[in-house]
Amino acid sequence: MKSFFDRDRIIYFLRDADAGERRMLYATADTVRRECVGDGIHLRALLNISNCCDRACLYCGLRAGNKNITRYRLDRKQIVDAAGRAAREGYGTVVMQSGEDPVLTPEFISSIIREIVSRHDMAVTLSLGERPREVLRQWYDDGASRYLLKHETSDLVLYGRLHPGMSFTARMEMLSSLKEIGYQAGSGVMIGLPGQTWESLAGDIMLFRDLDVDMIGCGPYIANPHTPLGGTSKKDGNQVSADEQTVLTVTALNRLVTGDTHIAATTATKTLYSGGGLYRALRSGANVVMPDVTPSPFRDQYLIYPGKEPVDGIAGAAELRAELKKQTGLEIAGGRGDRVRCHS
Ligand code: SAH
């Protein structure tokens, strides 16, 4: 199965395949998903602990310098309480995510990780940006077991243009450090970034396999007018589109080339396709949903792009589970939901 999807075939499915071929691809990915990770949708409680950020990524609303955003940082009690509520709602994982916020010191995060794992039978995933290896090691020893660090694009020129002062090599090194330390490591890209080519998107999919990542999250790029990249992008033949068809094709290809990874149906997929896209992604290879459990009013302030419509994690937790089951015909998985290698 793996060798079938070489670079040329991946590019073909992304750029050239017709609707019938894509339907086949989604159905095959759905079968491989069932064989490799089973019929359970894994829910991860997403807790956005700070929207403060030191970086200047050209596409992101959290970027330093954006004045059109209300900044917040949860305090220790708000974080621990929100994780506790998520545990009571039945989540087996809490994902603490933020901008690159130096005020979130290693010690602060350490003490929160220790408190959560001592109180709840819950996996802790971190997505706090680039951090030194010794800090990552400390957080792992404290009890964090997964880390998400998207590589965003593997096109080096595009990466350089979109991320002033950052380095693609540093991201790659951190992803390999994470795995060496023992974390389950996640990566991902945005689909339809201005200047992104079909060839580079194929390269991203192959990179997930080559890095042997444990988790993948890919969603459409959504233009944010309060960023330098701004409103709309120019469309030429080689520019990747951020439409549903492309997102589903990437989701399916990710499943087919990586087999047993955890693949998220992302919030951005829901935002762009008003509900249905999320369910279709779950029947095209994805097996993870990350409902937002950030308390109000902060929840609406984590504005990486306009019109964000997160999957509600607490107010309607039971309804969400029922709706996911009804719309997809799948089950909701219990437990922590670590990656389990499937030898096929
Ligand atoms: N700082 C963390 C991640 C914070 S959340 C880290 O470096 O890993 C930011 C994530 O939202 C990014 O990883 C990016 O993939 C996504 N994102 C940012 N701006 C976006 C946009 N305009 N459209 C879609 N996704 C976006």
Side-chain angles (χ1 to χ4, degrees), residues 111-178:
S111 75
I112 287 171
I113 296 168
R114 285 199 297 266
E115 182 150 354
I116 293 173
V117 298
S118 69
R119 287 198 195 182
H120 311 289
D121 181 18
M122 216 180 194
V124 173
T125 302
L126 303 175
S127 180
L128 307 175
E130 291 176 34
R131 297 284 185 150
R133 189 187 168 97
E134 50 296 357
V135 172
L136 300 172
R137 146 78 51 197
Q138 178 62 51
W139 290 343
Y140 184 79
D141 292 343
D142 293 324
S145 54
R146 305 182 200 135
Y147 206 109
L148 305 173
L149 185 78
K150 297 187 181 182
H151 73 259
E152 314 293 5
T153 174
S154 60
D155 176 331
L156 295 183
V157 175
L158 185 59
Y159 188 92
R161 203 183 320 141
L162 296 178
H163 302 99
M166 295 171 72
S167 122
F168 183 78
T169 312
R171 292 238 137 185
M172 290 299 109
E173 283 170 1
M174 181 164 145
L175 281 168
S176 63
S177 291
L178 288 166

Side-chain angles (χ1 to χ4, degrees), residues 18-183:
D18 64 25
E21 289 170 316
R22 285 177 202 260
R23 271 199 301 277
M24 284 283 293
L25 187 80
Y26 306 156
T28 312
D30 194 46
T31 305
V32 171
R33 187 262 312 142
R34 168 170 294 135
E35 285 167 2
C36 289
V37 295
D39 255 344
I41 300 171
H42 291 274
L43 300 181
R44 322 296 200 193
L46 179 61
L47 181 54
N48 291 317
I49 64 176
S50 160
N51 68 357
C52 303
C53 192
D54 259 6
R55 303 287 199 181
C57 307
L58 263 56
Y59 45 80
C60 183
L62 304 191
R63 70 195 305 275
N66 180 13
K67 302 269 182 280
N68 283 284
I69 182 170
T70 309
R71 302 286 174 175
Y72 74 86
R73 185 179 294 114
L74 301 189
D75 64 24
R76 184 193 166 78
K77 183 169 184 319
Q78 288 168 321
I79 298 173
V80 171
D81 287 355
R85 268 198 307 279
R88 283 193 297 283
E89 289 291 344
Y91 291 97
T93 296
V94 62
V95 181
M96 288 198 272
Q97 179 168 251
S98 71
E100 300 223 357
D101 180 1
V103 177
L104 300 173
T105 61
E107 298 71 31
F108 178 74
I109 299 295
S110 277
S111 75
I112 287 171
I113 296 168
R114 285 199 297 266
E115 182 150 354
I116 293 173
V117 298
S118 69
R119 287 198 195 182
H120 311 289
D121 181 18
M122 216 180 194
V124 173
T125 302
L126 303 175
S127 180
L128 307 175
E130 291 176 34
R131 297 284 185 150
R133 189 187 168 97
E134 50 296 357
V135 172
L136 300 172
R137 146 78 51 197
Q138 178 62 51
W139 290 343
Y140 184 79
D141 292 343
D142 293 324
S145 54
R146 305 182 200 135
Y147 206 109
L148 305 173
L149 185 78
K150 297 187 181 182
H151 73 259
E152 314 293 5
T153 174
S154 60
D155 176 331
L156 295 183
V157 175
L158 185 59
Y159 188 92
R161 203 183 320 141
L162 296 178
H163 302 99
M166 295 171 72
S167 122
F168 183 78
T169 312
R171 292 238 137 185
M172 290 299 109
E173 283 170 1
M174 181 164 145
L175 281 168
S176 63
S177 291
L178 288 166
K179 289 182 66 78
E180 277 162 32
I181 291 168
Y183 282 100

